[in-house]
């Protein structure tokens, strides 16, 4: 351990190049090697700061194999800075396997704090910041995305997601469907860049407003959703309750509960009880 090098985890800007720290620049100047996701992209970034260093490519597809090689280099005394394309490495970016292996091997890991889109967006959202959960990217497919949101239906902490231009409207449609049209959300777009926009409204209204002009969904974005602030009766998705109500007007409640349970994956007895408590 004593002769081994150090792995520095270094955050880089998420848009505004002035958001680099002095300590990050000092570490870049000191290290032997910079491990980066996209070496061309990071080469341009570092040349902006006048830094020229050997790079090592470490991305999602090769991290598991290459991490061993980097640990070996560290054990031989090489000092390495790990960066990602933007923001904090490991946060929806590579680095976790490398850090874990370093710690298992007794190699010192030193984190350098800096930009992170999730935290930066949260700070400007006006949504509760005392308790939150970061969920990274939602699944791309509707069914999986809705299932994920269903699991978060009762979550009372603020929810933070990364999202992309081409999926944001579909995602908001699913949020509306599963969490209800009234749930308050904030979309923080192009943070620290020229077209930075931070917009908050009920998910129903925000989705409509975004759909009116595709400039409103361009660029990089963080979606922040207010936690569930209502009590136990919000246990079921609003559309499941609606379905239960409609079907129970045509069929016995027991039958309606069984159908809705099948459709939405809830327990039929719980739905039946809900119907008894609320519909009569
Ligand atoms: N490690 C990064 C961090 O610390 O924020 C995140 C990497 S993740 C691969 C990239 C996602 O972060 C983007 O798709 C977007 O959701 C979000 N993001 C990155 N930069 C952003 C910015 N300037 N404004 C809004 N969201 C941003």
């Amino acid at each position: 351990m004593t002769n081994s090098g150090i792995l520095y985890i270094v955050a880089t800007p998420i848009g505004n190049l002035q958001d680099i720290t002095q300590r990050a620049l000092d570490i870049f100047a000191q290290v032997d090697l910079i491990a980066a996701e996209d070496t061309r992209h990071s080469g341009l970034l570092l040349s902006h700061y006048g830094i020229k260093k050997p790079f090592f490519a470490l991305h999602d597809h090769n991290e598991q194999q290459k991490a061993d090689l980097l640990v070996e280099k560290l054990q031989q005394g090489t000092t390495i800075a790990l960066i990602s394309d933007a923001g904090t490495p490991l946060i929806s970016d590579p680095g976790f396997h490398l850090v874990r292996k370093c710690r298992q091997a007794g190699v010192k890991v030193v984190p350098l704090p800096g930009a992170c889109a999730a935290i930066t967006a949260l700070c400007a959202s006006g949504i509760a910041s005392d308790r939150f959960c970061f969920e990274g990217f939602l699944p791309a497919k509707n069914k999986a995305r809705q299932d994920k949101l269903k699991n978060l239906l009762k979550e009372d902490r603020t929810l933070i997601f990364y999202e992309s231009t081409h999926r944001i409207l579909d995602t908001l449609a699913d949020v509306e469907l599963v969490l209800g049209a009234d749930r308050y959300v904030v979309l923080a777009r192009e943070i620290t860049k020229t077209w930075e926009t931070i917009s908050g409204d009920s998910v129903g209204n925000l989705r409509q407003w975004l759909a009116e002009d595709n400039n409103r969904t361009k660029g990089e974005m963080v979606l922040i959703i207010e936690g569930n602030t209502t009590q136990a009766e919000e246990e079921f998705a609003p559309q499941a309750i609606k379905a239960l109500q409609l079907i129970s007007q045509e069929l016995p409640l027991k039958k309606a509960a069984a159908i809705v349970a099948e459709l939405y994956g809830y327990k039929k007895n719980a739905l039946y009880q809900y119907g008894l408590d609320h519909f009569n």
Side-chain angles (χ1 to χ4, degrees), residues 49 76 79 85 97 112 125 128 145 154 175 177 190-191 199 207 228 260:
Y49 302 116
Q76 287 158 6
T79 53
D85 284 354
H97 298 288
L112 270 69
S125 69
R145 188 162 57 217
K154 284 199 271 178
V175 172
L177 188 75
E190 294 287 273
I191 310 166
S199 321
R207 187 168 70 87
N228 187 342
V260 175

Side-chain angles (χ1 to χ4, degrees), residues 14-15 37 84 86-93 115-118 137 161-164 188-193 220-222:
I14 54 168
E37 262 188 289
S84 61
T88 302
L90 282 85
I91 306 302
S92 291
D93 269 339
C116 173
F137 289 93
F161 301 95
Y162 284 157
E163 200 37 276
S164 70
R189 203 169 57 83
E190 294 287 273
I191 310 166
T192 76
K193 304 187 207 175
E220 298 194 283
M221 56 195 74
V222 180

Side-chain angles (χ1 to χ4, degrees), residues 80-278:
I80 301 176
L82 171 70
I83 61 174
S84 61
D85 284 354
T88 302
L90 282 85
I91 306 302
S92 291
D93 269 339
F96 163 67
H97 298 288
L98 175 61
V99 170
R100 182 144 85 169
K101 286 183 181 205
C102 281
R103 294 195 52 82
Q104 282 165 350
V107 170
K108 190 169 177 184
V109 178
V110 174
L112 270 69
C116 173
I119 299 297
T120 314
L122 175 67
C123 294
S125 69
I127 296 184
S129 55
D130 52 342
R131 292 168 63 244
F132 59 87
C133 39
F134 173 65
E135 289 285 336
F137 289 93
L138 278 162
K141 299 226 164 89
N142 284 75
K143 165 85 171 72
R145 188 162 57 217
Q146 287 171 16
D147 287 347
K148 178 83 196 173
L149 288 167
K150 273 182 206 160
N151 289 336
L152 295 167
L153 186 60
K154 284 199 271 178
E155 179 56 67
D156 66 349
R157 290 170 294 178
T158 296
L159 300 163
I160 307 178
F161 301 95
Y162 284 157
E163 200 37 276
S164 70
T165 299
H166 58 282
R167 281 212 281 269
I168 185 63
L169 289 177
D170 286 346
T171 290
L172 290 177
D174 285 342
V175 172
E176 191 173 335
L177 188 75
V178 179
L179 306 184
D182 294 335
R183 187 70 77 95
Y184 187 74
V185 299
V186 166
L187 190 71
R189 203 169 57 83
E190 294 287 273
I191 310 166
T192 76
K193 304 187 207 175
T194 312
W195 303 109
E196 177 178 284
T197 322
I198 300 170
S199 321
D201 207 331
S202 67
V203 61
N205 289 345
L206 188 77
R207 187 168 70 87
Q208 244 175 3
W209 180 77
L210 292 173
E212 283 164 12
D213 178 350
N214 66 9
N215 284 319
R216 294 176 184 161
T217 49
K218 278 191 182 147
E220 298 194 283
M221 56 195 74
V222 180
L223 176 65
I224 306 193
I225 305 181
E226 187 160 58
N228 187 342
T229 52
T230 57
Q231 294 302 309
E233 60 199 43
E234 278 295 319
E235 211 176 317
F236 304 115
Q239 86 278 18
I241 294 172
K242 188 85 196 148
L244 184 66
Q245 197 167 23
L246 290 175
I247 299 171
S248 66
Q249 284 164 10
E250 305 298 325
L251 294 173
L253 182 59
K254 241 192 183 127
K255 189 109 189 125
I259 293 170
V260 175
E262 179 73 27
L263 281 174
Y264 292 95
Y266 295 123
K267 290 200 172 81
K268 64 179 181 221
N269 288 346
L271 282 165
Y272 179 64
Q273 191 56 50
Y274 183 94
L276 289 180
D277 293 345
H278 292 82

